[in-house]
């Protein structure tokens, strides 16, 4: 009786006797067991009847030097025509085209792989057709957000920043693998088009520059020929006025190079005689082309002909290396059945204990 009174006093003060609590819970064992079984059944049903989610992965690396060699074919040879040295006329040649590096080409690929335009294409072409009419009628921004959750591009190894992993989650294993490979293929195609535009743009700019240089040289040569004819006409007038038909001075009898220059091209040109002046004038006026008399022209023409033969869309090139293609996954990543069932049992048991405690407290209050 004394122990019973002591227990009653403790319970009145709000203290809990663990033994009595255990006995009270044991008296509610059917409720606890029922809640645990119900939780397990619900978890089991969810695990086995929910749609599975499969994840396909692919990894890519930068291209090899041999993969981008075709892009550099015309650029490496351009250094032969544009070495940066001065030609015979004293004019500096154009700088050679800078060869593309592996990093340059791979940067174009990674930019396209991560681009929103690429995802938009997959969203419109692949994702929307898999939805029902009712699902497609939903808010487009919500569909876009759900689609972006399916695609992940990460760098799995921090020590190898160039290694990229592309993963796609889908309810169908075949779709997950197909979408992953399609993403990479579309990024590759877009990058090759970008590289072709880059090569074509630089070649076009270089071709136009060389063509303008050639046109400028020809125009200058023609102007110089016309200037030479004008000088000879004046010298011919002087030679006829003084009655000088034959040369009065020869190169071998000139005292210095300055006198020789004045005799040929300068103020003493008339001393060459009318016959020599008239002959040179006729030759200059009858000349059809000044090309043979332009020192750097042939080198520029050779460079132009080479640039026009460069292929801006070469074959057998690659902007990346496929380290591992996406394969059809066999095991879904969701739902994790064992974990779900275990959580169902735990949550069901916790719910049963909670209900049992409530019933015990209600009885005590009564």
């Amino acid at each position: 009786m004394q122990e019973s009174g002591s227990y009653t006093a403790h319970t009145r003060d709000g203290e809990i006797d663990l033994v009595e609590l255990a006995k009270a819970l044991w008296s509610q064992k059917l409720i606890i067991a029922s809640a645990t079984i119900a939780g397990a059944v619900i978890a089991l049903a969810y695990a086995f009847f929910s749609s599975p989610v499969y994840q396909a992965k692919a990894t890519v690396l930068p291209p090899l030097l041999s993969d981008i060699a075709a892009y550099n074919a015309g650029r490496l040879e351009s250094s032969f025509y544009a070495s940066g040295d001065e030609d015979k006329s004293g004019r500096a040649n154009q700088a050679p085209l800078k060869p593309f590096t592996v990093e340059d080409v791979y940067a174009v690929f990674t930019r396209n792989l991560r681009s929103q335009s690429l995802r938009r294409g997959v969203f419109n072409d692949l994702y929307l057709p898999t939805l029902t009419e009712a699902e497609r009628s939903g808010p487009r921004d919500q569909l876009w957000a759900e689609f972006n959750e399916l695609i992940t591009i990460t760098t799995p190894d921090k020590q190898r920043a160039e290694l990229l992993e592309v993963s796609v989650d889908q309810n169908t294993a075949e779709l997950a693998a197909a979408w992953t490979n399609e993403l990479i293929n579309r990024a590759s195609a877009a990058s090759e088009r970008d590289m072709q535009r880059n090569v074509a743009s630089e070649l076009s700019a270089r071709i136009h520059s060389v063509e303008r240089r050639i046109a400028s040289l020809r125009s200058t040569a023609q102007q110089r020929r016309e200037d030479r004819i004008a000088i000879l006409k004046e010298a011919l007038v002087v030679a006829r006025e003084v009655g000088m038909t034959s040369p009065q001075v020869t190169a071998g009898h000139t005292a210095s190079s300055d006198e020789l220059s004045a005799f040929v091209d300068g103020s003493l040109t008339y001393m060459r005689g009318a016959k020599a002046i008239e002959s040179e004038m006729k030759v200059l006026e009858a000349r059809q082309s000044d090309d043979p008399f332009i020192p750097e022209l042939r080198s520029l023409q050779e460079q132009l002909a080479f640039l026009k033969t460069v292929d801006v869309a070469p074959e057998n090139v690659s902007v990346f290396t496929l380290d591992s293609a996406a394969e059809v996954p066999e095991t879904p990543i969701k739902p994790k059945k064992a974990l779900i069932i275990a959580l169902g049992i735990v949550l069901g048991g916790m719910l049963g204990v909670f209900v049992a405690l409530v019933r015990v407290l209600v009885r005590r209050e009564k």
Side-chain angles (χ1 to χ4, degrees), residues 151-177:
I151 300 175
T152 306
I153 300 175
T154 59
T155 304
D157 189 352
K158 300 302 181 182
Q159 302 298 324
R160 302 174 64 191
E162 72 279 3
L163 177 65
L164 293 180
E165 181 181 80
V166 183
S167 62
V168 174
D169 299 345
Q170 255 297 334
N171 294 331
T172 305
E174 290 76 11
L175 277 181

mmCIF file of all heavy atoms in Angstrom, residues 151-177:
data_model
loop_
_atom_site.group_PDB
_atom_site.id
_atom_site.type_symbol
_atom_site.label_atom_id
_atom_site.label_comp_id
_atom_site.label_asym_id
_atom_site.label_seq_id
_atom_site.Cartn_x
_atom_site.Cartn_y
_atom_site.Cartn_z
ATOM 1 N N ILE A 151 17.712 17.406 -66.329
ATOM 2 C CA ILE A 151 19.029 17.440 -66.970
ATOM 3 C C ILE A 151 20.035 18.070 -66.016
ATOM 4 O O ILE A 151 19.794 19.129 -65.443
ATOM 5 C CB ILE A 151 18.977 18.239 -68.283
ATOM 6 C CG1 ILE A 151 17.988 17.585 -69.256
ATOM 7 C CG2 ILE A 151 20.362 18.328 -68.921
ATOM 8 C CD1 ILE A 151 17.787 18.365 -70.527
ATOM 9 N N THR A 152 21.169 17.418 -65.875
ATOM 10 C CA THR A 152 22.231 17.908 -64.997
ATOM 11 C C THR A 152 23.568 17.795 -65.718
ATOM 12 O O THR A 152 23.881 16.743 -66.291
ATOM 13 C CB THR A 152 22.283 17.104 -63.691
ATOM 14 O OG1 THR A 152 20.998 17.113 -63.071
ATOM 15 C CG2 THR A 152 23.297 17.711 -62.725
ATOM 16 N N ILE A 153 24.339 18.874 -65.690
ATOM 17 C CA ILE A 153 25.696 18.878 -66.248
ATOM 18 C C ILE A 153 26.639 19.293 -65.124
ATOM 19 O O ILE A 153 26.545 20.411 -64.606
ATOM 20 C CB ILE A 153 25.811 19.846 -67.432
ATOM 21 C CG1 ILE A 153 24.833 19.432 -68.545
ATOM 22 C CG2 ILE A 153 27.245 19.870 -67.976
ATOM 23 C CD1 ILE A 153 24.803 20.399 -69.706
ATOM 24 N N THR A 154 27.517 18.403 -64.743
ATOM 25 C CA THR A 154 28.386 18.642 -63.595
ATOM 26 C C THR A 154 29.834 18.305 -63.933
ATOM 27 O O THR A 154 30.141 17.705 -64.977
ATOM 28 C CB THR A 154 27.941 17.802 -62.388
ATOM 29 O OG1 THR A 154 27.970 16.404 -62.752
ATOM 30 C CG2 THR A 154 26.535 18.172 -61.952
ATOM 31 N N THR A 155 30.705 18.681 -63.023
ATOM 32 C CA THR A 155 32.123 18.298 -63.081
ATOM 33 C C THR A 155 32.369 17.331 -61.935
ATOM 34 O O THR A 155 32.594 17.751 -60.796
ATOM 35 C CB THR A 155 33.021 19.540 -62.941
ATOM 36 O OG1 THR A 155 32.663 20.491 -63.944
ATOM 37 C CG2 THR A 155 34.487 19.166 -63.110
ATOM 38 N N PRO A 156 32.300 16.018 -62.187
ATOM 39 C CA PRO A 156 32.360 15.057 -61.093
ATOM 40 C C PRO A 156 33.696 15.023 -60.365
ATOM 41 O O PRO A 156 33.754 14.728 -59.178
ATOM 42 C CB PRO A 156 32.076 13.714 -61.788
ATOM 43 C CG PRO A 156 32.458 13.936 -63.214
ATOM 44 C CD PRO A 156 32.168 15.366 -63.500
ATOM 45 N N ASP A 157 34.783 15.316 -61.083
ATOM 46 C CA ASP A 157 36.115 15.272 -60.487
ATOM 47 C C ASP A 157 36.687 16.680 -60.459
ATOM 48 O O ASP A 157 36.999 17.262 -61.507
ATOM 49 C CB ASP A 157 37.024 14.337 -61.296
ATOM 50 C CG ASP A 157 38.354 14.091 -60.609
ATOM 51 O OD1 ASP A 157 38.630 14.756 -59.584
ATOM 52 O OD2 ASP A 157 39.120 13.240 -61.079
ATOM 53 N N LYS A 158 36.816 17.247 -59.264
ATOM 54 C CA LYS A 158 37.316 18.607 -59.142
ATOM 55 C C LYS A 158 38.771 18.722 -59.586
ATOM 56 O O LYS A 158 39.237 19.812 -59.928
ATOM 57 C CB LYS A 158 37.180 19.090 -57.691
ATOM 58 C CG LYS A 158 35.740 19.099 -57.179
ATOM 59 C CD LYS A 158 34.846 19.972 -58.046
ATOM 60 C CE LYS A 158 33.414 19.983 -57.518
ATOM 61 N NZ LYS A 158 32.515 20.788 -58.376
ATOM 62 N N GLN A 159 39.484 17.618 -59.582
ATOM 63 C CA GLN A 159 40.870 17.632 -60.023
ATOM 64 C C GLN A 159 40.987 17.653 -61.545
ATOM 65 O O GLN A 159 42.045 17.925 -62.092
ATOM 66 C CB GLN A 159 41.611 16.401 -59.464
ATOM 67 C CG GLN A 159 41.587 16.301 -57.957
ATOM 68 C CD GLN A 159 42.263 17.476 -57.280
ATOM 69 O OE1 GLN A 159 43.252 18.002 -57.777
ATOM 70 N NE2 GLN A 159 41.714 17.906 -56.147
ATOM 71 N N ARG A 160 39.888 17.323 -62.212
ATOM 72 C CA ARG A 160 39.871 17.313 -63.685
ATOM 73 C C ARG A 160 38.687 18.169 -64.137
ATOM 74 O O ARG A 160 37.617 17.662 -64.453
ATOM 75 C CB ARG A 160 39.750 15.890 -64.209
ATOM 76 C CG ARG A 160 40.851 14.954 -63.742
ATOM 77 C CD ARG A 160 40.562 13.529 -64.185
ATOM 78 N NE ARG A 160 40.561 13.409 -65.632
ATOM 79 C CZ ARG A 160 40.129 12.325 -66.284
ATOM 80 N NH1 ARG A 160 39.634 11.307 -65.603
ATOM 81 N NH2 ARG A 160 40.165 12.271 -67.601
ATOM 82 N N ALA A 161 38.929 19.453 -64.167
ATOM 83 C CA ALA A 161 37.834 20.380 -64.490
ATOM 84 C C ALA A 161 37.348 20.209 -65.917
ATOM 85 O O ALA A 161 36.234 20.618 -66.245
ATOM 86 C CB ALA A 161 38.309 21.825 -64.271
ATOM 87 N N GLU A 162 38.171 19.616 -66.776
ATOM 88 C CA GLU A 162 37.766 19.451 -68.170
ATOM 89 C C GLU A 162 36.791 18.291 -68.369
ATOM 90 O O GLU A 162 36.132 18.196 -69.411
ATOM 91 C CB GLU A 162 38.996 19.238 -69.060
ATOM 92 C CG GLU A 162 39.682 17.881 -68.920
ATOM 93 C CD GLU A 162 40.612 17.803 -67.721
ATOM 94 O OE1 GLU A 162 40.681 18.792 -66.965
ATOM 95 O OE2 GLU A 162 41.270 16.761 -67.547
ATOM 96 N N LEU A 163 36.690 17.400 -67.387
ATOM 97 C CA LEU A 163 35.778 16.260 -67.482
ATOM 98 C C LEU A 163 34.369 16.700 -67.115
ATOM 99 O O LEU A 163 34.119 17.170 -66.006
ATOM 100 C CB LEU A 163 36.240 15.129 -66.557
ATOM 101 C CG LEU A 163 35.340 13.895 -66.501
ATOM 102 C CD1 LEU A 163 35.308 13.194 -67.848
ATOM 103 C CD2 LEU A 163 35.804 12.938 -65.409
ATOM 104 N N LEU A 164 33.428 16.533 -68.032
ATOM 105 C CA LEU A 164 32.036 16.909 -67.803
ATOM 106 C C LEU A 164 31.153 15.666 -67.831
ATOM 107 O O LEU A 164 31.373 14.755 -68.649
ATOM 108 C CB LEU A 164 31.549 17.896 -68.867
ATOM 109 C CG LEU A 164 32.193 19.283 -68.869
ATOM 110 C CD1 LEU A 164 31.600 20.122 -69.984
ATOM 111 C CD2 LEU A 164 32.022 19.974 -67.528
ATOM 112 N N GLU A 165 30.183 15.643 -66.938
ATOM 113 C CA GLU A 165 29.230 14.539 -66.873
ATOM 114 C C GLU A 165 27.834 15.067 -67.181
ATOM 115 O O GLU A 165 27.366 16.013 -66.554
ATOM 116 C CB GLU A 165 29.253 13.889 -65.495
ATOM 117 C CG GLU A 165 28.300 12.704 -65.357
ATOM 118 C CD GLU A 165 28.326 12.104 -63.966
ATOM 119 O OE1 GLU A 165 27.664 12.680 -63.071
ATOM 120 O OE2 GLU A 165 29.020 11.095 -63.767
ATOM 121 N N VAL A 166 27.181 14.455 -68.156
ATOM 122 C CA VAL A 166 25.828 14.823 -68.548
ATOM 123 C C VAL A 166 24.894 13.704 -68.113
ATOM 124 O O VAL A 166 25.108 12.542 -68.458
ATOM 125 C CB VAL A 166 25.717 15.032 -70.068
ATOM 126 C CG1 VAL A 166 24.313 15.478 -70.452
ATOM 127 C CG2 VAL A 166 26.751 16.047 -70.536
ATOM 128 N N SER A 167 23.878 14.035 -67.324
ATOM 129 C CA SER A 167 22.928 13.028 -66.843
ATOM 130 C C SER A 167 21.507 13.497 -67.104
ATOM 131 O O SER A 167 21.207 14.694 -67.016
ATOM 132 C CB SER A 167 23.133 12.756 -65.353
ATOM 133 O OG SER A 167 22.909 13.921 -64.590
ATOM 134 N N VAL A 168 20.638 12.531 -67.418
ATOM 135 C CA VAL A 168 19.229 12.802 -67.692
ATOM 136 C C VAL A 168 18.387 11.794 -66.923
ATOM 137 O O VAL A 168 18.664 10.589 -66.945
ATOM 138 C CB VAL A 168 18.923 12.695 -69.202
ATOM 139 C CG1 VAL A 168 17.424 12.832 -69.457
ATOM 140 C CG2 VAL A 168 19.685 13.759 -69.976
ATOM 141 N N ASP A 169 17.368 12.305 -66.224
ATOM 142 C CA ASP A 169 16.417 11.452 -65.496
ATOM 143 C C ASP A 169 15.139 11.325 -66.317
ATOM 144 O O ASP A 169 14.601 12.334 -66.800
ATOM 145 C CB ASP A 169 16.094 12.049 -64.130
ATOM 146 C CG ASP A 169 17.320 12.171 -63.233
ATOM 147 O OD1 ASP A 169 18.336 11.532 -63.558
ATOM 148 O OD2 ASP A 169 17.251 12.903 -62.232
ATOM 149 N N GLN A 170 14.670 10.076 -66.429
ATOM 150 C CA GLN A 170 13.441 9.841 -67.185
ATOM 151 C C GLN A 170 12.739 8.604 -66.643
ATOM 152 O O GLN A 170 13.359 7.743 -66.018
ATOM 153 C CB GLN A 170 13.733 9.645 -68.672
ATOM 154 C CG GLN A 170 13.370 10.836 -69.553
ATOM 155 C CD GLN A 170 11.889 11.131 -69.540
ATOM 156 O OE1 GLN A 170 11.060 10.266 -69.298
ATOM 157 N NE2 GLN A 170 11.551 12.391 -69.798
ATOM 158 N N ASN A 171 11.418 8.529 -66.893
ATOM 159 C CA ASN A 171 10.648 7.370 -66.438
ATOM 160 C C ASN A 171 10.915 6.136 -67.271
ATOM 161 O O ASN A 171 10.579 5.021 -66.869
ATOM 162 C CB ASN A 171 9.146 7.689 -66.474
ATOM 163 C CG ASN A 171 8.762 8.757 -65.471
ATOM 164 O OD1 ASN A 171 9.408 8.892 -64.434
ATOM 165 N ND2 ASN A 171 7.733 9.531 -65.769
ATOM 166 N N THR A 172 11.511 6.324 -68.439
ATOM 167 C CA THR A 172 11.856 5.218 -69.324
ATOM 168 C C THR A 172 13.369 5.171 -69.491
ATOM 169 O O THR A 172 13.993 6.199 -69.796
ATOM 170 C CB THR A 172 11.188 5.384 -70.697
ATOM 171 O OG1 THR A 172 9.774 5.533 -70.509
ATOM 172 C CG2 THR A 172 11.440 4.172 -71.571
ATOM 173 N N ALA A 173 13.933 4.000 -69.292
ATOM 174 C CA ALA A 173 15.386 3.866 -69.369
ATOM 175 C C ALA A 173 15.903 4.217 -70.761
ATOM 176 O O ALA A 173 16.940 4.867 -70.906
ATOM 177 C CB ALA A 173 15.796 2.445 -68.989
ATOM 178 N N GLU A 174 15.170 3.790 -71.785
ATOM 179 C CA GLU A 174 15.599 4.061 -73.157
ATOM 180 C C GLU A 174 15.601 5.560 -73.456
ATOM 181 O O GLU A 174 16.512 6.076 -74.107
ATOM 182 C CB GLU A 174 14.690 3.334 -74.156
ATOM 183 C CG GLU A 174 14.844 1.824 -74.174
ATOM 184 C CD GLU A 174 14.177 1.150 -72.980
ATOM 185 O OE1 GLU A 174 13.417 1.851 -72.254
ATOM 186 O OE2 GLU A 174 14.416 -0.046 -72.770
ATOM 187 N N LEU A 175 14.564 6.259 -72.955
ATOM 188 C CA LEU A 175 14.510 7.706 -73.171
ATOM 189 C C LEU A 175 15.655 8.422 -72.461
ATOM 190 O O LEU A 175 16.234 9.374 -72.992
ATOM 191 C CB LEU A 175 13.171 8.264 -72.684
ATOM 192 C CG LEU A 175 11.980 8.179 -73.628
ATOM 193 C CD1 LEU A 175 10.755 8.802 -72.994
ATOM 194 C CD2 LEU A 175 12.287 8.839 -74.959
ATOM 195 N N ALA A 176 15.977 7.990 -71.269
ATOM 196 C CA ALA A 176 17.061 8.627 -70.513
ATOM 197 C C ALA A 176 18.373 8.536 -71.282
ATOM 198 O O ALA A 176 19.104 9.530 -71.415
ATOM 199 C CB ALA A 176 17.200 7.971 -69.144
ATOM 200 N N ALA A 177 18.687 7.356 -71.812
ATOM 201 C CA ALA A 177 19.930 7.182 -72.573
ATOM 202 C C ALA A 177 19.885 7.952 -73.889
ATOM 203 O O ALA A 177 20.864 8.599 -74.285
ATOM 204 C CB ALA A 177 20.176 5.700 -72.833
#
